[in-house]
Amino acid sequence: MWQKATVPTAQNQSTLAASNDLEKVQTLFDQIRANYYQKVDEDALIEGALKGMTDALGDPYTTYLSESAANELSQSLSSSFEGIGATLTLVDEYPEIAQAPIKNSPAEKSGLRLNDRILKVDGKETKGQSLTEVVNNIRGKKGTTVKLTIQREQESFDVSITRDTIPLETVHTSMVDGEKIGKIEITTFGEDTASELKAGIESLRKEGAKSFILDVRQNPGGLLDQVQNMASMFLEDGKTIVKFADESGVISETKASAALDQGFKVTEPVVVLVDGGSASAAEIFAAALQESADVPIVGTETFGKGTVQNVKELGDNSELKMTVMKWLTPNEEWVNEQGVMPDQQADFPDYAYLAPLPRDKELKAGQSSEAIDRLNQFLSALGYQTTGDTFDQPTVSAVQDLQKKAGLEATGQVDAKTAQAIEKALTEQLKKEDPAYLKAIELLSK
């Protein structure tokens, strides 16, 4: 979670000692520049030194951002950009997906997930490349395709993604069929999310909504001012939204007020949905409503990011994103590395977390593999009598039936189009069988 404004920090009492130590950095730089046996890229040395200082803190959320990385962060919070819709970070010299892909983006539609590691881009190894190099290779003109080799836990697979323009509408609304319940999905906390939320609620009220489901599952967080403005809409004025602390304890807190929400309040019944991808600002939002407004939280334990980062420009289009304090729930709980606990547990079935089917090779009768084991689990979830890791006759029959329903040639083999049709059918089924969503409807219908 980020702040735009500078946050005051404790005065450094060892400025002189630090200045003396920095002379060693200059000496090392001069020695390498003067005596290294090959030509030295001085800019690369400086970038490496800056990155090394933040890396030495051992804090994954404190990072030196080069100009390109700073642009990436800025774009992720703006109105739109071009790409696949995934934000990357470097972990152990490999690029990894740093937050859940943007809703309806090519990355999300292709099944990419938080913490997926990118081993190759169009067949080229990514290990050792800078983040800028990887991002530039993944980006391209709208309509072109990039092939990524993904590692997810112990399994690796290829996925081809067609690039597109990524609109960053962060609030999506709909009415629950047959109910006077409005569903509001909040995908991130960007620059306009609070105003989008207000507009969404007003629109749903006009459609007859008498209560709301607020879905912040797979929401990686975002801007602190936005989540404070939004939480204030659901709390009585004077109720605590969030507290902030340093090593000595609580230093400040934010309370609901008209200054934050401009007098716009939501008094209808509300349920919040969370999961392990709900992080940072999403956790502040959930905890504020849970502890200060007795709003029920449904889902699974959240991610557990209990710190606040300040982004500060360094004068040359680069930036420092640095942890400046902890945030605490209204009851002064620090959720770091443990998350917000839901009032009622509800999760997707296991098959929802399996890797997608391969797109670069066909699966056919007689084969046995982990991919076919996944295929049979997917088909079984769709109601077919399939099991095991062998592509046998029940699998062939199930695939043929599904191909007919999808308007594809009934070959009984799983190519890229059939794999996409299977996963689309699963997505539609998961929407109907979403346990947390159904539990929220049940609570609001009582």
Side-chain angles (χ1 to χ4, degrees):
M1 176 178 49
W2 309 293
Q3 286 185 305
K4 294 179 181 179
T6 301
V7 177
T9 56
Q11 181 69 34
N12 191 335
Q13 300 300 318
S14 56
T15 303
L16 180 60
S19 297
N20 292 334
D21 288 340
L22 286 174
E23 290 181 7
K24 293 167 61 178
V25 177
Q26 182 66 51
T27 300
L28 176 61
F29 176 78
D30 291 340
Q31 286 292 321
I32 293 174
R33 183 174 56 177
N35 300 313
Y36 190 66
Y37 81 106
Q38 290 181 336
K39 184 178 179 180
V40 173
D41 184 337
E42 295 182 10
D43 289 339
L45 283 181
I46 295 170
E47 292 283 305
L50 294 168
K51 186 176 184 300
M53 276 193 276
T54 56
D55 288 349
L57 294 170
D59 176 4
Y61 306 114
T62 295
T63 312
Y64 165 72
L65 302 172
S66 64
E67 181 177 354
S68 61
N71 286 336
E72 282 283 299
L73 176 60
S74 177
Q75 287 180 353
S76 71
L77 299 171
S78 62
S79 60
S80 68
F81 66 97
E82 289 189 355
I84 66 170
T87 300
L88 305 182
T89 188
L90 282 181
V91 179
D92 299 330
E93 295 189 84
Y94 284 98
E96 290 189 0
I97 296 178
Q99 58 190 49
I102 294 167
K103 183 177 177 62
N104 296 324
S105 67
E108 187 203 45
K109 292 176 181 177
S110 298
L112 297 189
R113 297 179 188 162
L114 174 69
N115 297 327
D116 279 351
R117 174 169 288 187
I118 302 174
L119 302 179
K120 298 179 183 178
V121 178
D122 287 331
K124 184 177 180 180
E125 300 277 353
T126 59
K127 184 176 182 181
Q129 291 188 33
S130 69
L131 193 60
T132 300
E133 290 176 297
V134 176
V135 169
N136 287 340
N137 289 332
I138 292 175
R139 281 182 172 172
K141 293 182 65 175
K142 175 182 176 180
T144 60
T145 300
V146 61
K147 180 180 178 182
L148 305 182
T149 301
I150 302 295
Q151 180 181 331
R152 181 178 297 162
E153 297 182 351
Q154 305 304 314
E155 187 173 7
S156 62
F157 54 91
D158 290 332
V159 58
S160 293
I161 305 177
T162 301
R163 303 174 176 102
D164 203 348
T165 300
I166 313 299
L168 284 184
E169 294 180 356
T170 59
V171 176
H172 304 264
T173 63
S174 61
M175 289 292 294
V176 177
D177 290 342
E179 302 282 349
K180 294 183 178 181
I181 301 173
K183 181 182 180 183
I184 303 170
E185 295 179 78
I186 306 168
T187 60
T188 190
F189 292 85
E191 293 174 342
D192 300 318
T193 305
S195 60
E196 287 182 38
L197 176 62
K198 179 182 176 182
I201 291 171
E202 290 175 333
S203 176
L204 289 171
R205 282 171 171 167
K206 290 178 181 178
E207 294 183 59
K210 301 298 182 183
S211 59
F212 301 102
I213 298 171
L214 302 171
D215 190 348
V216 294
R217 291 177 295 182
Q218 295 298 301
N219 181 320
L223 296 171
L224 178 59
D225 64 335
Q226 293 295 299
V227 69
Q228 291 178 141
N229 294 346
M230 294 161 65
S232 183
M233 297 177 188
F234 299 87
L235 273 57
E236 295 178 5
D237 286 351
K239 291 286 188 177
T240 298
I241 296 170
V242 62
K243 296 184 179 181
F244 302 100
D246 60 15
E247 291 181 345
S248 62
V250 175
I251 56 176
S252 65
E253 66 180 301
T254 302
K255 295 184 177 183
S257 68
L260 293 176
D261 56 43
Q262 286 74 55
F264 181 81
K265 293 293 186 180
V266 180
T267 57
E268 296 93 336
V270 169
V271 173
V272 177
L273 306 184
V274 298
D275 67 3
S278 306
S280 192
E283 294 174 289
I284 287 180
F285 185 76
L289 270 63
Q290 183 184 49
E291 295 183 4
S292 290
D294 294 324
V295 168
I297 307 298
V298 177
T300 60
E301 183 178 343
T302 63
F303 181 80
K305 179 180 178 291
T307 56
V308 179
Q309 284 69 47
N310 168 239
V311 179
K312 185 175 181 63
E313 291 186 8
L314 298 179
D316 59 350
N317 295 321
S318 63
E319 295 177 342
L320 172 64
K321 179 163 74 76
M322 182 171 63
T323 300
V324 293
M325 56 188 170
K326 307 176 189 178
W327 69 264
L328 308 175
T329 72
N331 293 341
E332 298 191 6
E333 296 291 332
W334 192 34
V335 305
N336 206 53
E337 298 183 356
Q338 58 185 9
V340 176
M341 293 300 299
D343 298 294
Q344 299 205 32
Q345 291 275 345
D347 197 5
F348 287 114
D350 290 342
Y351 72 81
Y353 297 101
L354 295 175
L357 296 171
R359 301 297 203 269
D360 60 331
K361 59 184 177 182
E362 289 190 351
L363 305 180
K364 57 185 69 176
Q367 294 177 341
S368 294
S369 67
E370 290 183 1
I372 292 170
D373 180 54
R374 292 201 307 278
L375 169 64
N376 280 330
Q377 289 187 63
F378 290 154
L379 293 171
S380 177
L382 291 171
Y384 297 101
Q385 301 300 310
T386 57
T387 187
D389 62 358
T390 300
F391 204 123
D392 51 17
Q393 187 54 48
T395 305
V396 172
S397 298
V399 170
Q400 288 176 328
D401 184 64
L402 193 144
Q403 287 171 325
K404 292 176 183 177
K405 291 179 179 177
L408 301 173
E409 183 181 356
T411 63
Q413 299 179 4
V414 179
D415 57 8
K417 288 184 178 180
T418 302
Q420 184 175 357
I422 291 171
E423 290 169 10
K424 182 179 179 181
L426 285 167
T427 299
E428 292 302 315
Q429 178 163 304
L430 282 170
K431 289 180 180 178
K432 297 175 183 177
E433 297 179 352
D434 183 343
Y437 177 57
L438 295 176
K439 173 57 71 172
I441 294 173
E442 177 188 332
L443 291 173
L444 292 173
S445 297
K446 289 183 178 179

